[in-house]
Amino acid sequence: MHKNQIISQLIQKKIITISPDKPFTYASGMLSPIYTDLRLTVSYPELRDMIASDLANLIAKKFPETTIIGGVATAGIPHGALVAEKLHLPMIYVRPKPKDHGKGRQIEGRFSENDKIVLIDDLITTGGSVLNAVKATEKDGGHVAGVSPIFTYYLPDAKENFKKANVKYAPLLSYPELLKKENESGHISSKQYNILKTWHEDPWAWSKKFNN
């Protein structure tokens, strides 16, 4: 596994940006000391290959029954394709909503009710988009064995949403791992570490406090 190398490259290439003192604003209105743009990973061959190799190994270990890899549009599609190639498995991809023309498909590719599908996405914040992809897949008769994203914040909302949906997920990288490595490397101060840790425990409360 290349976890430490991947995390280092994500930071060095500013794919993940940590800014405890000047937080970012998410679309939801939540303030965050971290911004993640994993779409940029496709521009770096060595990095995307390490991610694909580690995801393939993770899926083989956590979901050995997998017969199809699914990419969640849009950011999960290229990584889904790379992982499917590594595992030599068929691939499908899931749109955010059905097409408004042609056959009106939301899922592209072929699968049967006997297949065990693992969906790949780039990032899980609350899990909403990927869980919608799970619903769409199962509505069309597919069976989703689990979800495997590149990175998850492991926020309370996501844990609750996956639990309610009864969906297994196995992320490659997580926020606690990132935070631990950054703290050990000395890239962040103890004060910044505490800010990042406090945000993770209750991001909405942290946002509210910061605004006040």
Side-chain angles (χ1 to χ4, degrees):
M1 298 288 275
H2 305 87
K3 279 192 175 186
N4 287 337
Q5 293 164 268
I6 294 171
I7 289 173
S8 294
Q9 287 204 30
L10 292 176
I11 296 293
Q12 289 168 13
K13 299 180 188 306
K14 299 189 185 319
I15 293 170
I16 292 180
T17 307
I18 294 175
S19 179
D21 307 309
K22 294 181 180 179
F24 304 96
T25 303
Y26 289 169
S28 63
M30 178 193 292
L31 294 181
S32 171
I34 180 171
Y35 185 76
T36 306
D37 190 359
L38 290 164
R39 290 172 176 80
L40 296 174
T41 55
V42 297
S43 297
Y44 300 96
E46 182 183 355
L47 175 58
R48 75 185 184 216
D49 188 63
M50 285 194 295
I51 290 171
S53 294
D54 281 12
L55 274 174
N57 289 334
L58 180 67
I59 290 168
K61 180 180 179 181
K62 296 289 186 179
F63 306 108
E65 72 276 24
T66 305
T67 59
I68 291 182
I69 298 296
V72 179
T74 54
I77 294 176
H79 294 288
L82 291 166
V83 171
E85 184 67 19
K86 296 272 186 191
L87 294 173
H88 198 61
L89 289 175
M91 180 194 166
I92 61 171
Y93 69 86
V94 188
R95 302 173 186 274
K97 58 182 181 180
K99 290 171 66 176
D100 58 4
H101 59 281
K103 293 186 176 180
R105 289 196 184 104
Q106 186 168 355
I107 301 170
E108 298 293 350
R110 289 180 170 166
F111 59 91
S112 75
E113 60 183 15
N114 296 320
D115 280 308
K116 305 293 188 296
I117 302 165
V118 169
L119 295 181
I120 290 177
D121 207 351
D122 64 332
L123 173 69
I124 287 180
T125 305
T126 63
S129 60
V130 75
L131 287 173
N132 284 337
V134 171
K135 287 180 185 177
T137 305
E138 295 189 335
K139 184 180 177 182
D140 272 13
H143 172 72
V144 176
V147 170
S148 196
I150 297 171
F151 185 81
T152 179
Y153 287 115
Y154 268 144
L155 294 178
D157 286 356
K159 290 180 182 178
E160 185 64 24
N161 289 338
F162 274 89
K163 184 178 178 182
K164 283 182 180 177
N166 194 28
V167 175
K168 296 178 182 177
Y169 82 116
L172 177 60
L173 303 170
S174 70
Y175 182 88
E177 290 173 320
L178 173 73
L179 188 56
K180 182 174 183 288
K181 182 165 178 18
E182 284 300 279
N183 186 46
E184 290 173 349
S185 69
H187 291 159
I188 55 176
S189 66
S190 57
K191 179 185 175 182
Q192 290 174 324
Y193 172 81
N194 288 332
I195 290 172
L196 289 158
K197 191 170 182 294
T198 302
W199 172 81
H200 184 252
E201 290 167 355
D202 193 338
W204 285 107
W206 187 89
S207 298
K208 186 177 179 181
K209 185 177 179 181
F210 191 93
N211 277 325
N212 292 333

